[in-house]
Amino acid sequence: MNPSQLQLPKLCSKRRFFFTLVLLFSLYYILTTIRTITIPSSSQDPHRHHPQLQEPSMPHHSSLQEPSMPHHSSPPKPSANQPSPPSSSLPYFPLCPKNFTNYLPCHDPSTARQYNIERHYRRERHCPDSSSHEKKLRCLVPKPSGYKTPFPWPDSRSYAWFKNVPFKKLAEFKRLRTGDRFVFPGGGTSFPGGVKDYVDVIMKVLPLASGSIRTVLDVGCGVASFGAFLLNHNILTLSIAPRDVHEAQVQFALERGLPSMLGVLSTYKLPYPSKSFDMVHCSRCLVNWTAYDGLYLMEVDRVLRPGGYWVLSGPPVTSMVKAKNQKKDLQKEMEKLNDVFRKLCWEKIAERYPVVIWRKPSNHLQCIKRLKALKFPGRCSSGDDPNAAWYKEMEPCITPLLNVNDTHKRVLRNWPERLNHVPERHGVTISRFKADTNLWQRIVVYYDTKLKFLSNGKYRNVMDMNAGLGGFAAALSKYPMWVMNVVPFDLKPNTLGVVFDRGLIGTYMNWCEAFSTYPRTYDLIHANGLFSLYLDKCDIVDILLEMQMILRPGGAVIIRDGFDVLMKVKAITNQMRWNALCVKYEAEFRPNMSIVVQALQPLLRSSGTATAPHRQA
């Protein structure tokens, strides 16, 4: 439920002879608005005076089923530094074996081998059956031996602890390791001359510092050095790469505190709405752009905004300069690439070593006749939703643009004005947008005032599991952090386009499945009304175990939901060794408010004794 939909209860009795009735009602209301807070460290004194906090109570759900029990016969014996078992006598979830430290449920190489290698389908998402608990992981993913708290921002852009991401193959290939840490100099194999010089070449053509380019998609991101440098120009880059021979590029990027997720151009559309990114970038990304009649470029065209830019470096661009024996073959490949762009109606605006830059048109007025004359797939059907992208196969067609000459009214504002400008293409009313924005600004100020954790630099990677209009992320924009705004794919209305139009980033998701990321990659997780949304869709145990997996040791979770739902959530988190303390709060800025904050203690260590449904290679 969106925060703008939260309604405050109304107490309207005025007569004295209703005093008894009012008293009983007040007592019931107080009992049903008690919430839970979990503090980050067990070392804190439980008898201290904690900050007073409340939030609008959500609708109750008395029909919630009891959570499924983990599949084990006897719980592991807690160590001395672990909390005692919950008073309900429910057993703890066991710890997973050591080889599950970097477990990826939907990108598991041990199961991916059964899928076809054609079009890299093997690297797509292949999740365990959501209807079968036997195939799902029901243990707690441990941290690797020697895990340390990541470097704070902005130091983490340049350094990461080796034992946090102990992938020797990538370390040797990228030549990044120095002693007990990785050092990211801002170059590597993607930018031999350094990322600064590389971006300087692009800046001679594109207005990177103007605010007109805010959201960028980096395909085949390496360790996200390109996105890291663009932050200097207030450009937010979402880097994607598959799990491949380089092992864990995405995990390296997230360990650095940079936006990244597992993704591949293969069979399905990328999980983003149409017209989402101001620029798409590829440097040595190993994508065969001319294959399948330019299908992958049609997908880039779908997610690129009208007037957006596509920047390409690496083969065949750079190879044409250096190669001599293969020059003719590379020229043919480059001509095939240019042919696809002509059919897409893109314009080449610059070719400066080591990059070539094309621009997507603002409309298709000048292209309609050309498309009819060329033997090339036409425009996609007007009945197809170009924003539907969750497990939707790519289509060999061009996403249609506006057939109008005057498009200036629909041009997005520059950053940062676009953050709080009402998007015009998603049917969002001005009143709803402003109410949502104002509410989240007050709530985030309250989070920081009372909980004291937003401005201390501890949290870099933030996930909002049910982002709505992106109000939570917009309110956090003044802090040194970024937010992955997740919108459930079947949510109506679809609001992810609004998120991108505000200059933020996000993705579609079905929380009955695992997210496309590695364990321990988010510092703070925010879930507003999420569990109420999924009550009748899947087991909330699996959602909480997924949260535990992607949360860093010592990270925090903020959950906002109905009372009955929260009590069920708390019972499960007790079994997950989360440190909880029940406190009643009184809000200062708005009456009748409540909150749930839960933090994961860094107690989980590798264990080889727990049983698991299948082994991670």
Side-chain angles (χ1 to χ4, degrees):
M1 180 177 293
N2 292 324
S4 59
Q5 296 175 295
L6 302 179
Q7 300 295 326
L8 301 180
K10 298 182 179 179
L11 303 179
C12 56
S13 177
K14 298 181 179 179
R15 300 176 181 274
R16 292 179 179 273
F17 63 85
F18 285 131
F19 175 78
T20 303
L21 180 61
V22 172
L23 181 62
L24 292 174
F25 180 82
S26 301
L27 180 60
Y28 169 80
Y29 180 75
I30 291 172
L31 291 174
T32 56
T33 54
I34 297 176
R35 293 298 184 266
T36 305
I37 182 169
T38 303
I39 55 178
S41 173
S42 59
S43 62
Q44 294 180 2
D45 184 359
H47 301 291
R48 288 179 57 189
H49 293 290
H50 295 279
Q52 300 299 296
L53 195 58
Q54 284 188 335
E55 192 203 316
S57 58
M58 306 283 286
H60 295 175
H61 297 269
S62 57
S63 60
L64 182 66
Q65 298 179 353
E66 290 294 327
S68 301
M69 293 299 297
H71 300 292
H72 58 280
S73 56
S74 60
K77 185 177 180 180
S79 62
N81 63 341
Q82 291 178 337
S84 301
S87 58
S88 60
S89 299
L90 292 175
Y92 284 137
F93 285 94
L95 301 185
C96 303
K98 294 180 180 180
N99 56 335
F100 279 79
T101 299
N102 295 300
Y103 177 59
L104 299 170
C106 296
H107 301 271
D108 186 349
S110 65
T111 59
R113 297 188 186 98
Q114 64 185 285
Y115 298 103
N116 197 329
I117 198 172
E118 179 69 17
R119 284 175 54 179
H120 304 294
Y121 181 66
R122 184 175 291 178
R123 294 178 181 173
E124 287 277 15
R125 289 172 56 87
H126 301 289
C127 303
D129 185 358
S130 60
S131 62
S132 174
H133 294 316
E134 296 298 328
K135 295 182 180 180
K136 284 202 167 187
L137 190 68
R138 285 299 179 95
C139 56
L140 304 180
V141 174
K143 61 184 179 181
S145 177
Y147 182 90
K148 296 183 180 181
T149 301
F151 288 91
W153 186 263
D155 292 344
S156 63
R157 279 202 291 188
S158 302
Y159 304 101
W161 298 113
F162 172 74
K163 289 192 175 181
N164 288 11
V165 278
F167 294 97
K168 295 181 179 180
K169 184 183 294 185
L170 185 59
E172 293 170 359
F173 180 77
K174 297 284 187 178
R175 299 186 297 275
L176 297 172
R177 185 177 178 183
T178 302
D180 62 351
R181 67 194 64 187
F182 293 107
V183 179
F184 303 95
T189 56
S190 295
F191 316 108
V195 68
K196 180 182 183 303
D197 291 344
Y198 178 82
V199 173
D200 284 345
V201 173
I202 299 175
M203 286 192 69
K204 292 178 181 178
V205 181
L206 302 183
L208 296 182
S210 68
S212 62
I213 298 175
R214 165 61 179 174
T215 53
V216 173
L217 179 66
D218 188 13
V219 180
C221 60
V223 293
S225 294
F226 181 69
F229 193 84
L230 289 185
L231 284 174
N232 297 325
H233 301 291
N234 285 321
I235 294 175
L236 196 56
T237 303
L238 177 55
S239 302
I240 63 171
R243 177 168 182 161
D244 58 11
V245 294
H246 291 159
E247 289 180 301
Q249 300 177 81
V250 167
Q251 191 172 16
F252 270 78
L254 288 161
E255 188 70 18
R256 299 177 68 184
L258 302 170
S260 188
M261 63 183 293
L262 289 161
V264 63
L265 283 162
S266 171
T267 303
Y268 300 121
K269 294 180 179 179
L270 298 174
Y272 318 116
S274 65
K275 311 179 187 72
S276 293
F277 296 96
D278 301 311
M279 186 172 86
V280 178
H281 173 260
C282 160
S283 175
R284 302 174 183 267
C285 58
L286 303 179
V287 175
N288 188 353
W289 293 109
T290 59
Y292 313 109
D293 297 321
L295 181 66
Y296 298 148
L297 283 171
M298 293 181 219
E299 176 61 7
V300 170
D301 180 80
R302 184 186 71 86
V303 300
L304 190 61
R305 294 193 193 282
Y309 303 96
W310 196 71
V311 180
L312 174 66
S313 66
V317 177
T318 53
S319 301
M320 289 181 63
V321 176
K322 297 181 178 180
K324 294 181 179 180
N325 298 332
Q326 299 178 331
K327 193 165 186 178
K328 288 185 178 180
D329 294 336
L330 292 169
Q331 285 176 338
K332 289 181 180 179
E333 184 66 24
M334 194 66 186
E335 183 53 36
K336 287 172 62 178
L337 198 60
N338 286 327
D339 186 55
V340 175
F341 288 133
R342 281 192 293 268
K343 294 172 180 178
L344 287 171
C345 303
W346 289 14
E347 176 189 5
K348 183 188 292 186
I349 63 173
E351 186 169 356
R352 299 187 179 188
Y353 181 83
V355 301
V356 181
I357 302 174
W358 286 266
R359 189 173 191 183
K360 179 179 175 178
S362 297
N363 61 69
H364 284 154
L365 277 177
Q366 304 299 322
C367 297
I368 294 177
K369 293 182 179 180
R370 185 191 307 176
L371 292 174
K372 291 180 179 179
L374 295 172
K375 293 182 180 179
F376 194 70
R379 296 193 298 171
C380 302
S381 171
S382 58
D384 296 335
D385 182 4
N387 298 315
W390 185 251
Y391 289 125
K392 299 289 185 181
E393 290 193 16
M394 293 183 191
E395 300 178 76
C397 59
I398 302 173
T399 304
L401 297 176
L402 296 170
N403 290 323
V404 292
N405 278 320
D406 186 9
T407 59
H408 69 278
K409 293 183 180 180
R410 295 180 180 268
V411 174
L412 289 176
R413 306 287 181 92
N414 286 353
W415 180 264
E417 287 77 16
R418 72 168 70 172
L419 179 65
N420 294 311
H421 180 69
V422 182
E424 298 180 9
R425 69 178 175 107
H426 300 284
V428 179
T429 63
I430 296 176
S431 58
R432 180 191 172 194
F433 182 86
K434 290 185 176 180
D436 183 84
T437 299
N438 292 335
L439 176 60
W440 282 111
Q441 286 177 348
R442 294 199 301 273
I443 291 176
V444 167
V445 168
Y446 199 70
Y447 284 171
D448 197 21
T449 301
K450 296 298 182 181
L451 301 179
K452 304 291 185 184
F453 62 64
L454 293 179
S455 56
N456 62 8
K458 178 180 179 181
Y459 301 111
R460 310 161 305 160
N461 307 349
V462 180
M463 175 179 285
D464 193 355
M465 299 178 72
N466 187 23
L469 300 178
F472 177 64
L476 288 177
S477 62
K478 63 182 179 180
Y479 298 100
M481 58 183 64
W482 62 273
V483 180
M484 178 65 77
N485 294 277
V486 181
V487 173
F489 78 101
D490 54 351
L491 188 68
K492 302 297 180 183
N494 181 342
T495 58
L496 189 55
V498 176
V499 171
F500 275 97
D501 279 3
R502 301 184 75 170
L504 306 170
I505 57 172
T507 182
Y508 292 121
M509 181 59 190
N510 176 7
W511 284 113
C512 294
E513 300 179 355
F515 194 76
S516 291
T517 191
Y518 286 80
R520 303 172 301 280
T521 48
Y522 284 87
D523 307 312
L524 174 64
I525 300 176
H526 187 260
N528 176 49
L530 180 80
F531 293 97
S532 293
L533 188 64
Y534 278 87
L535 281 178
D536 301 322
K537 298 178 180 179
C538 53
D539 197 330
I540 64 172
V541 171
D542 295 317
I543 300 177
L544 285 163
L545 288 173
E546 172 66 8
M547 294 167 71
Q548 183 273 334
M549 181 159 57
I550 66 178
L551 188 67
R552 294 191 192 281
V557 178
I558 301 176
I559 304 175
R560 300 156 48 92
D561 221 310
F563 173 75
D564 292 349
V565 176
L566 294 178
M567 293 301 100
K568 297 293 183 181
V569 168
K570 182 179 180 297
I572 299 168
T573 58
N574 284 344
Q575 297 175 257
M576 294 165 59
R577 298 175 173 84
W578 285 16
N579 185 22
L581 178 67
C582 294
V583 182
K584 181 183 176 183
Y585 296 100
E586 297 176 0
E588 298 175 359
F589 74 97
R590 187 169 180 175
N592 304 320
M593 304 283 286
S594 61
I595 192 173
V596 171
V597 179
Q598 300 197 327
L600 180 63
Q601 288 183 299
L603 298 176
L604 305 183
R605 294 183 175 83
S606 300
S607 171
T609 58
T611 59
H614 59 276
R615 296 180 64 82
Q616 176 78 352

